[in-house]
Amino acid sequence: MSSERLDREFFARDPREVAPDLLGKVIHHRDLAARIVEVEAYVGGEDPASHAYKGETPRTTVMFGPPGHLYVYFTYGMHWCANVVCGEDGVAGAVLLRGAEPLSGLSHMYRNRIVAKRDSDLCSGPAKLAQSFGWDGSTNGVDIAGGIDDAPWIGDDGTAPEAVVNTGRVGITRAVEEPWRWYVADNPNVSGPR
DNA sequence: CCGCCGATCTTT
DNA sequence: AAGATCGGCGGG
């Protein structure tokens, strides 16, 4: 099935609008592809849970830049997690990629993630997803909306999720009541609580 | 399947 | 000292 690349305009909206729209879309990177099934929105300046809440720092520079780039951060001393920067240039905002269904290049993903035993171990969590795609600090800031051949990009193949669930975000201690997590119902690649 | 805990290091 | 996580282990 053919896939249309999401452009910068798609990401130039409030992350709370972009996030649910990303469900069902497909992450591509060279031979690898996976369909997004779980996302969370982080709203920068007005969101105490966002890394950008207290303003721009060396770590969060990318979040304040133009939309359609990856914000990849290091956490818990060993994991990388990836967001797509959303909203206007100069305004911090991002959508965390939390879960995806592997579609292509699975043998390559297993090579990137030695501990994975089954397909649902590959992309069922933000750090697992990033690891399966081989993303790390060198991926931070990469443009995914510039039509760059070797860079990751996100495509729309016309598939829409059957049922979407909206809940509070996972793994945070501040602003836990904000309903800014969305996931596809009954999908084994969703990482958090159902 | 679920809950608990340790790993490991950057950021605050 | 905490953190946008994960995997191993033990118990039900």
Side-chain angles (χ1 to χ4, degrees):
Chain A
M1 194 167 209
S2 70
S3 210
E4 181 152 343
R5 290 181 180 238
L6 302 184
D7 58 16
R8 203 166 315 282
E9 206 172 311
F10 180 94
F11 300 110
R13 297 172 290 147
D14 188 296
R16 289 164 293 192
E17 262 183 71
V18 177
D21 286 354
L22 280 175
L23 295 178
K25 305 299 189 291
V26 179
I27 307 165
H28 298 263
H29 192 189
R30 300 200 177 99
D31 58 315
L32 309 180
R35 190 178 307 280
I36 300 170
V37 299
E38 184 186 2
V39 291
E40 284 176 356
Y42 287 85
V43 198
E46 48 178 288
D47 179 4
S50 170
H51 292 161
Y53 183 54
K54 293 178 180 170
E56 187 174 342
T57 65
R59 183 200 206 187
T60 61
T61 302
V62 174
M63 277 187 82
F64 286 83
H69 292 246
L70 289 184
Y71 164 51
V72 183
Y73 68 92
F74 185 64
T75 192
Y76 288 103
M78 61 192 92
H79 302 300
W80 296 96
C81 299
N83 297 251
V84 184
V85 174
C86 296
E88 292 175 36
D89 191 357
V91 178
V95 172
L96 175 65
L97 303 172
R98 284 197 59 91
E101 178 178 340
L103 299 178
S104 309
L106 273 70
S107 64
H108 190 172
M109 291 185 186
Y110 275 105
R111 215 177 310 142
N112 289 341
R113 255 183 74 65
I114 301 300
V115 293
K117 297 187 180 81
R118 30 189 188 172
D119 295 0
S120 63
D121 293 334
L122 291 171
C123 299
S124 58
K128 299 179 196 176
L129 191 161
Q131 190 177 31
S132 279
F133 275 85
W135 296 344
D136 58 20
S138 67
T139 319
N140 188 38
V142 163
D143 185 3
I144 66 165
I148 303 162
D149 232 8
D150 263 3
W153 54 283
I154 299 181
D156 180 359
D157 68 359
T159 306
E162 293 215 352
V164 172
V165 185
N166 176 215
T167 71
R169 293 171 292 181
V170 175
I172 57 172
T173 56
R174 291 168 293 184
V176 289
E177 70 287 350
E178 300 288 3
W180 295 340
R181 170 183 180 238
W182 292 264
Y183 65 87
V184 176
D186 301 320
N187 188 288
N189 302 284
V190 171
S191 62
R194 318 295 170 94

